[in-house]
Amino acid sequence: MDSKELGLVLAKQLLDVEDLHYGLWDGDLELKLANIGIAQQRYNDMLIAELPPAPARVLDIGCGTGHLLRQLLDRGYEVDGVVPAADLARAVRQRLEGHRGREPRLYECRFEDMPDDVRGYDVALFSESFQYIALASSLTRVPKMLKPGGTMLICDFFKTDADGDGGPGDRSFKGGHRWREFQARIAQAPFELVKDEDITQRVSPNLELLNDLLMNRLKPAGLTLHRYLSENHPLTSRLGFWLLRKKLAKANYKYFSGFRSREVFERYKTYHLLVYRLTGGG
């Protein structure tokens, strides 16, 4: 299980949510844990609003547990998904139970390993999955998968110029392509920009909730567990903590240093909703 899969599992278990993305937190929505599901659905609705009318063919690249994929199916879209992990693929199939109509195809592989004959989609959709794929692969392969005039929809965060200076953003918020590099590369690809909306301020409030959860709930619980193990199983706990000391130190900095905050995210990341139209062949 990699970190993204783990994030989906923990999000479901701790917060009872179906998506891993941050959601949209506009001013009318109170910032509290009980509203995470509402914020995430607003994010999904924003993506759906950018799609051509159903029954357009959509390739959901990095479809997670299939929450958005199922919503698109229920709205009449023809959707296939790309999911690199067997556990997630099983979760998608469970979510599709009861769906009537065309059965989606699930490509159980990395995007880079997809068959070369995948063609004919109206939309290639990346919902916080674009960051995990090398630019050379995504910007080369997507044009071949789309119909003439097809749409590439990206909603994800990118690294700002500040990212890479050795500060807390590098270690607390991994991931994302460099915004400048992406802009340079997409300018050379056969796409026309239709929409570029910076939604950083609309997603970053989620980090206030996350940081509160980490610092005021999970960290005290972890310290209590550590104290219990140290007092009741001193030899075993010391050995275990010594063997895992590097991983524990890395996780402690990443999650419990207080740097996974809204302010740090806004400095080191820029989050964009991007819509591109294919202008030439692949």
Side-chain angles (χ1 to χ4, degrees), residues 188-200:
Q188 303 301 317
F191 288 104
E192 174 189 5
L193 178 64
V194 176
K195 183 174 185 176
D196 176 3
E197 182 178 355
D198 187 335
I199 60 172
T200 308

PDB file of all heavy atoms in Angstrom, residues 188-200:
ATOM      1  N   GLN A 188       4.256  23.630 -25.547  1.00  0.00           N
ATOM      2  CA  GLN A 188       4.791  22.885 -26.687  1.00  0.00           C
ATOM      3  C   GLN A 188       3.889  21.714 -27.095  1.00  0.00           C
ATOM      4  O   GLN A 188       4.174  21.032 -28.080  1.00  0.00           O
ATOM      5  CB  GLN A 188       6.189  22.349 -26.341  1.00  0.00           C
ATOM      6  CG  GLN A 188       7.183  23.424 -25.922  1.00  0.00           C
ATOM      7  CD  GLN A 188       7.384  24.465 -26.988  1.00  0.00           C
ATOM      8  OE1 GLN A 188       7.503  24.145 -28.176  1.00  0.00           O
ATOM      9  NE2 GLN A 188       7.417  25.737 -26.589  1.00  0.00           N
ATOM     10  N   ALA A 189       2.843  21.470 -26.325  1.00  0.00           N
ATOM     11  CA  ALA A 189       1.941  20.355 -26.600  1.00  0.00           C
ATOM     12  C   ALA A 189       0.763  20.843 -27.448  1.00  0.00           C
ATOM     13  O   ALA A 189       0.467  22.035 -27.492  1.00  0.00           O
ATOM     14  CB  ALA A 189       1.448  19.751 -25.290  1.00  0.00           C
ATOM     15  N   PRO A 190       0.058  19.922 -28.119  1.00  0.00           N
ATOM     16  CA  PRO A 190      -1.032  20.331 -29.023  1.00  0.00           C
ATOM     17  C   PRO A 190      -2.336  20.645 -28.286  1.00  0.00           C
ATOM     18  O   PRO A 190      -3.373  20.020 -28.524  1.00  0.00           O
ATOM     19  CB  PRO A 190      -1.184  19.107 -29.931  1.00  0.00           C
ATOM     20  CG  PRO A 190      -0.800  17.955 -29.055  1.00  0.00           C
ATOM     21  CD  PRO A 190       0.313  18.471 -28.187  1.00  0.00           C
ATOM     22  N   PHE A 191      -2.268  21.611 -27.358  1.00  0.00           N
ATOM     23  CA  PHE A 191      -3.441  21.984 -26.582  1.00  0.00           C
ATOM     24  C   PHE A 191      -3.634  23.498 -26.591  1.00  0.00           C
ATOM     25  O   PHE A 191      -2.665  24.264 -26.585  1.00  0.00           O
ATOM     26  CB  PHE A 191      -3.309  21.516 -25.125  1.00  0.00           C
ATOM     27  CG  PHE A 191      -3.448  20.034 -24.939  1.00  0.00           C
ATOM     28  CD1 PHE A 191      -2.334  19.246 -24.714  1.00  0.00           C
ATOM     29  CD2 PHE A 191      -4.694  19.422 -24.983  1.00  0.00           C
ATOM     30  CE1 PHE A 191      -2.451  17.881 -24.533  1.00  0.00           C
ATOM     31  CE2 PHE A 191      -4.830  18.059 -24.808  1.00  0.00           C
ATOM     32  CZ  PHE A 191      -3.698  17.283 -24.585  1.00  0.00           C
ATOM     33  N   GLU A 192      -4.895  23.897 -26.560  1.00  0.00           N
ATOM     34  CA  GLU A 192      -5.269  25.295 -26.414  1.00  0.00           C
ATOM     35  C   GLU A 192      -5.892  25.482 -25.038  1.00  0.00           C
ATOM     36  O   GLU A 192      -6.788  24.722 -24.635  1.00  0.00           O
ATOM     37  CB  GLU A 192      -6.276  25.680 -27.491  1.00  0.00           C
ATOM     38  CG  GLU A 192      -6.844  27.091 -27.331  1.00  0.00           C
ATOM     39  CD  GLU A 192      -7.992  27.347 -28.285  1.00  0.00           C
ATOM     40  OE1 GLU A 192      -8.406  26.402 -28.999  1.00  0.00           O
ATOM     41  OE2 GLU A 192      -8.479  28.496 -28.304  1.00  0.00           O
ATOM     42  N   LEU A 193      -5.416  26.474 -24.298  1.00  0.00           N
ATOM     43  CA  LEU A 193      -5.952  26.738 -22.967  1.00  0.00           C
ATOM     44  C   LEU A 193      -7.352  27.320 -23.067  1.00  0.00           C
ATOM     45  O   LEU A 193      -7.572  28.331 -23.732  1.00  0.00           O
ATOM     46  CB  LEU A 193      -5.039  27.699 -22.197  1.00  0.00           C
ATOM     47  CG  LEU A 193      -5.513  28.099 -20.796  1.00  0.00           C
ATOM     48  CD1 LEU A 193      -5.557  26.885 -19.873  1.00  0.00           C
ATOM     49  CD2 LEU A 193      -4.605  29.174 -20.214  1.00  0.00           C
ATOM     50  N   VAL A 194      -8.298  26.689 -22.399  1.00  0.00           N
ATOM     51  CA  VAL A 194      -9.675  27.166 -22.353  1.00  0.00           C
ATOM     52  C   VAL A 194      -9.958  27.870 -21.026  1.00  0.00           C
ATOM     53  O   VAL A 194     -10.638  28.892 -20.982  1.00  0.00           O
ATOM     54  CB  VAL A 194     -10.664  25.995 -22.547  1.00  0.00           C
ATOM     55  CG1 VAL A 194     -12.110  26.468 -22.402  1.00  0.00           C
ATOM     56  CG2 VAL A 194     -10.444  25.317 -23.897  1.00  0.00           C
ATOM     57  N   LYS A 195      -9.399  27.332 -19.944  1.00  0.00           N
ATOM     58  CA  LYS A 195      -9.675  27.899 -18.629  1.00  0.00           C
ATOM     59  C   LYS A 195      -8.515  27.608 -17.689  1.00  0.00           C
ATOM     60  O   LYS A 195      -7.983  26.510 -17.670  1.00  0.00           O
ATOM     61  CB  LYS A 195     -10.961  27.303 -18.050  1.00  0.00           C
ATOM     62  CG  LYS A 195     -11.386  27.886 -16.709  1.00  0.00           C
ATOM     63  CD  LYS A 195     -12.753  27.336 -16.293  1.00  0.00           C
ATOM     64  CE  LYS A 195     -13.264  27.980 -15.037  1.00  0.00           C
ATOM     65  NZ  LYS A 195     -14.628  27.505 -14.686  1.00  0.00           N
ATOM     66  N   ASP A 196      -8.131  28.610 -16.918  1.00  0.00           N
ATOM     67  CA  ASP A 196      -7.133  28.456 -15.860  1.00  0.00           C
ATOM     68  C   ASP A 196      -7.639  29.240 -14.662  1.00  0.00           C
ATOM     69  O   ASP A 196      -7.590  30.469 -14.643  1.00  0.00           O
ATOM     70  CB  ASP A 196      -5.764  28.980 -16.316  1.00  0.00           C
ATOM     71  CG  ASP A 196      -4.715  28.917 -15.199  1.00  0.00           C
ATOM     72  OD1 ASP A 196      -5.033  28.418 -14.100  1.00  0.00           O
ATOM     73  OD2 ASP A 196      -3.569  29.361 -15.436  1.00  0.00           O
ATOM     74  N   GLU A 197      -8.152  28.540 -13.670  1.00  0.00           N
ATOM     75  CA  GLU A 197      -8.671  29.174 -12.460  1.00  0.00           C
ATOM     76  C   GLU A 197      -7.816  28.752 -11.271  1.00  0.00           C
ATOM     77  O   GLU A 197      -7.700  27.564 -10.970  1.00  0.00           O
ATOM     78  CB  GLU A 197     -10.131  28.784 -12.222  1.00  0.00           C
ATOM     79  CG  GLU A 197     -10.729  29.458 -10.996  1.00  0.00           C
ATOM     80  CD  GLU A 197     -12.188  29.118 -10.767  1.00  0.00           C
ATOM     81  OE1 GLU A 197     -12.779  28.426 -11.617  1.00  0.00           O
ATOM     82  OE2 GLU A 197     -12.746  29.527  -9.726  1.00  0.00           O
ATOM     83  N   ASP A 198      -7.229  29.729 -10.612  1.00  0.00           N
ATOM     84  CA  ASP A 198      -6.444  29.476  -9.409  1.00  0.00           C
ATOM     85  C   ASP A 198      -7.413  29.334  -8.238  1.00  0.00           C
ATOM     86  O   ASP A 198      -8.068  30.296  -7.837  1.00  0.00           O
ATOM     87  CB  ASP A 198      -5.483  30.639  -9.166  1.00  0.00           C
ATOM     88  CG  ASP A 198      -4.517  30.382  -8.018  1.00  0.00           C
ATOM     89  OD1 ASP A 198      -4.851  29.574  -7.126  1.00  0.00           O
ATOM     90  OD2 ASP A 198      -3.435  30.995  -8.000  1.00  0.00           O
ATOM     91  N   ILE A 199      -7.520  28.118  -7.695  1.00  0.00           N
ATOM     92  CA  ILE A 199      -8.462  27.863  -6.603  1.00  0.00           C
ATOM     93  C   ILE A 199      -7.733  27.562  -5.293  1.00  0.00           C
ATOM     94  O   ILE A 199      -8.299  26.962  -4.383  1.00  0.00           O
ATOM     95  CB  ILE A 199      -9.421  26.708  -6.955  1.00  0.00           C
ATOM     96  CG1 ILE A 199      -8.656  25.408  -7.230  1.00  0.00           C
ATOM     97  CG2 ILE A 199     -10.302  27.073  -8.147  1.00  0.00           C
ATOM     98  CD1 ILE A 199      -9.569  24.194  -7.399  1.00  0.00           C
ATOM     99  N   THR A 200      -6.480  28.004  -5.203  1.00  0.00           N
ATOM    100  CA  THR A 200      -5.681  27.740  -4.005  1.00  0.00           C
ATOM    101  C   THR A 200      -6.411  28.177  -2.745  1.00  0.00           C
ATOM    102  O   THR A 200      -6.476  27.432  -1.752  1.00  0.00           O
ATOM    103  CB  THR A 200      -4.324  28.459  -4.090  1.00  0.00           C
ATOM    104  OG1 THR A 200      -3.683  28.138  -5.320  1.00  0.00           O
ATOM    105  CG2 THR A 200      -3.423  28.040  -2.935  1.00  0.00           C
TER     106      THR A 200
END
